[in-house]
Amino acid sequence: MKIVSIVGARPQFIKAAPVSGELRKYHQEKLLHTGQHYDAKLSKIFFDDLKIPRPDLNLGVGSDSHARQTAEIMIGVESYLIQQKPDWVIIYGDTNSTLAGALATTKLHIRLAHVEAGLRSFNRRMPEEINRIVADRVSNILFCPTTAAVKNLQREGVSAGVHLVGDVMMDAAQQFVTVAEQKSRILEKLSLQPKQYFLLTLHRAENTDSEENMRNIVDALTDSPEPIIFPVHPRTVKYLKQYKLFGRIQMASNIVLADPVSFMDMIVLEKNAAKILTDSGGVQKEAYFYGVPCITLRDETEWVETVADGWNCLVGANRTKITEAINNFAPGSPQQGHYGDGSASLKIRKVLENESS
Ligand code: UD1
Ligand code: UDP
C-alpha cells in the first residue's frame, strides 16, 4: 500500500507519530507537511523528539486568512497527489490542513481516511467544527476515537466506513511517557515541585479573538494565588499584545510565561500539575490520561466523556467560574477509560489493509 499522510499543525505531528511508525513497518508512507505551523517550537521539535520521519514535502504555506491558507494547501496537495498516486490519503483532526487535504484528495477520487473522525462541539462558530464536518462528509474511512464520536456520525446518518479504533493520542502518550520522564528536565528548569503548580494552555480562536474573553481569563488568572505555568502559543502572544494584556501576564507574580514546550516537557508538566487549565482539545485528553483535573476554558467540548466522568469542568471564559474551579474543582468519581488501550494505530493499519484487499 502507498499512503500519503497530511500534517501541518502541532497536534497533527503528535497524532501522526504512532500511526506513521505502525504503517511504515509494512507499507510505503509519504509525509506531506503543509507548513501551517512553521516555528521550530511548533513543528521541528516534534519531528526530532518523536522521531517522525522527515516530511517528503513541506508546502511552506505559513499563516494567512482561512480561505487563503486552505486554498494554498489544496493547490499543493493536489499536485503532490497527482505525482504520487497513493492508494490512501490520511488526514488528522480538524485544522485547515485537514480540510484542505480532504477536499483536494476527494476531488482526485483518491481514497481518504480521517483519523479523529466524528468529534463535534455543535458550535459552528469554531473553525475546527466546520473542518470536521466537511472532512467527515468526504472521507471514505472514519476512524473514531470514542463511542460518542460514532454516535455523532450515526445521528448524521453516517455508518458506512465508520471504525471505532480508540484514540491515537493514547498511543502517543503510552509510547512517549517513559522516555519523557527520563529525558525531560523541565521541572528542574522551572524550579517546580510536583503538584505545586497549575499548567495553562490557551490558543483557540474563540478565546484569543475575543478581547472580552481574554480579559476575563487574564483577570481570573492574575487574581489567583496559585502558581501557573503558561507555555504560550504565538497566536495568543499576538492577541495579548493587541489587547494590551501581555504586560499584565508578564508582571503577574504567580504566572510563569514560557515558549511552547516539547512534547516530552509537556507530558512531564501535565503529569505533575495540580490542575490543568486549557482550551486545547489534546490537552484536555492528556489531563484525563494522566489523572489530572482539567478546567476547560470553553463552553463546550468534543471530549464529553472527560466531563461525564467528572474529570473535566467547562468554565468558558467566565471569570467567576474560572476562579471557583481553580479553588474547588475536584473529580469525585473514577475514570471509565474511554480512549482505548494504545492500539489505535495498529487497528488503523489493519482496517486500511482489509479495505485494500
Ligand atoms: C491551528 C488550528 C487549531 C489547532 C492549533 C493547534 C486551524 C483553523 N486552527 O490554530 O484548530 O488547535 O492549530 O496548535 O487550523 N503562528 C506562528 N508560528 C507558527 C504558526 C502560527 O507565529 O508556526 C501564529 C501566526 O500569528 C498565525 C497564528 O499563530 O497567524 C495562527 O496560526 P494558525 O495556523 O492559523 O492557527 P492556530 O491558531 O495555530
Ligand atoms: N503541546 C506541546 N507543547 C506545548 C503545548 C501543547 O507539546 O507547549 C502538545 C500537547 O501535549 C498535545 C498537543 O500539543 O499533545 C495539543 O496541541 P494544541 O493544544 O496545539 O492543539 P489542539 O489539540 O487544541 O488542536
Side-chain angles (χ1 to χ4, degrees), residues 36-39 63 95-96 128 203-204 233-235 238:
Q36 178 172 350
H37 283 178
Y38 43 88
D39 283 354
S63 306
T95 72
N96 287 348
E128 293 84 2
H203 73 279
R204 286 300 182 93
H233 189 294
R235 175 193 194 99
K238 187 172 80 177

Side-chain angles (χ1 to χ4, degrees), residues 86-330:
D87 301 298
W88 288 98
V89 170
I90 301 184
I91 50 171
Y92 291 88
D94 53 19
T95 72
N96 287 348
S97 296
T98 317
L99 171 68
L103 292 176
T105 303
T106 195
K107 292 220 167 189
L108 290 171
H109 312 299
I110 298 171
R111 284 179 296 177
L112 179 66
H114 185 199
V115 175
E116 218 177 67
L119 276 302
R120 296 291 182 268
S121 66
F122 303 101
N123 175 1
R124 289 209 183 189
R125 291 187 59 82
M126 291 176 67
E128 293 84 2
E129 184 76 350
I130 308 297
N131 296 345
R132 289 179 200 123
I133 292 169
V134 177
D136 284 345
R137 258 317 124 102
V138 298
S139 291
N140 304 90
I141 301 284
L142 296 136
F143 289 121
C144 293
T146 58
T147 49
V150 174
K151 284 186 190 149
N152 288 337
L153 291 172
Q154 273 169 358
R155 223 176 288 122
E156 293 173 16
V158 180
S159 57
V162 175
H163 297 265
L164 177 62
V165 290
D167 197 310
V168 294
M169 288 190 70
M170 174 64 95
D171 297 22
Q174 289 189 2
Q175 286 176 24
F176 295 107
V177 68
T178 308
V179 54
E181 288 183 313
Q182 285 162 358
K183 268 182 64 177
S184 172
R185 295 284 163 272
I186 192 72
L187 297 185
E188 294 89 324
K189 197 171 147 199
L190 297 175
S191 305
L192 298 172
Q193 296 299 322
K195 302 297 168 189
Q196 302 295 309
Y197 65 91
F198 283 37
L199 176 66
L200 164 70
T201 80
L202 177 67
H203 73 279
R204 286 300 182 93
E206 55 201 300
N207 282 323
T208 59
D209 299 14
S210 155
E211 179 167 353
E212 190 189 350
N213 282 5
M214 291 297 266
R215 208 164 274 287
N216 287 341
I217 292 169
V218 170
D219 283 345
L221 299 175
T222 51
D223 274 355
S224 168
E226 302 292 345
I228 299 172
I229 309 306
F230 183 15
V232 60
H233 189 294
R235 175 193 194 99
T236 313
V237 173
K238 187 172 80 177
Y239 281 98
L240 285 169
K241 287 185 174 163
Q242 190 178 310
Y243 306 144
K244 305 212 179 333
L245 290 168
F246 194 66
R248 270 186 64 200
I249 294 263
Q250 273 183 316
M251 301 289 285
S253 57
N254 66 320
I255 299 180
V256 178
L257 270 178
D259 284 339
V261 296
S262 71
F263 190 50
M264 302 301 162
D265 286 346
M266 191 63 182
I267 289 174
V268 169
L269 283 173
E270 287 172 336
K271 276 198 84 171
N272 289 287
K275 292 181 193 172
I276 293 177
L277 292 139
T278 194
D279 59 6
S280 156
V283 176
Q284 286 176 65
K285 273 186 291 177
E286 286 165 348
Y288 184 88
F289 298 164
Y290 302 130
V292 178
C294 186
I295 301 165
T296 294
L297 304 166
R298 290 180 46 196
D299 293 320
E300 70 284 306
T301 181
E302 304 77 39
W303 306 105
V304 290
E305 332 53 38
T306 59
V307 178
D309 276 11
W311 284 78
N312 189 1
C313 67
L314 302 175
V315 294
N318 181 303
R319 182 177 174 175
T320 315
K321 286 188 188 171
I322 298 170
T323 303
E324 160 70 15
I326 288 177
N327 294 336
N328 299 319
F329 176 58

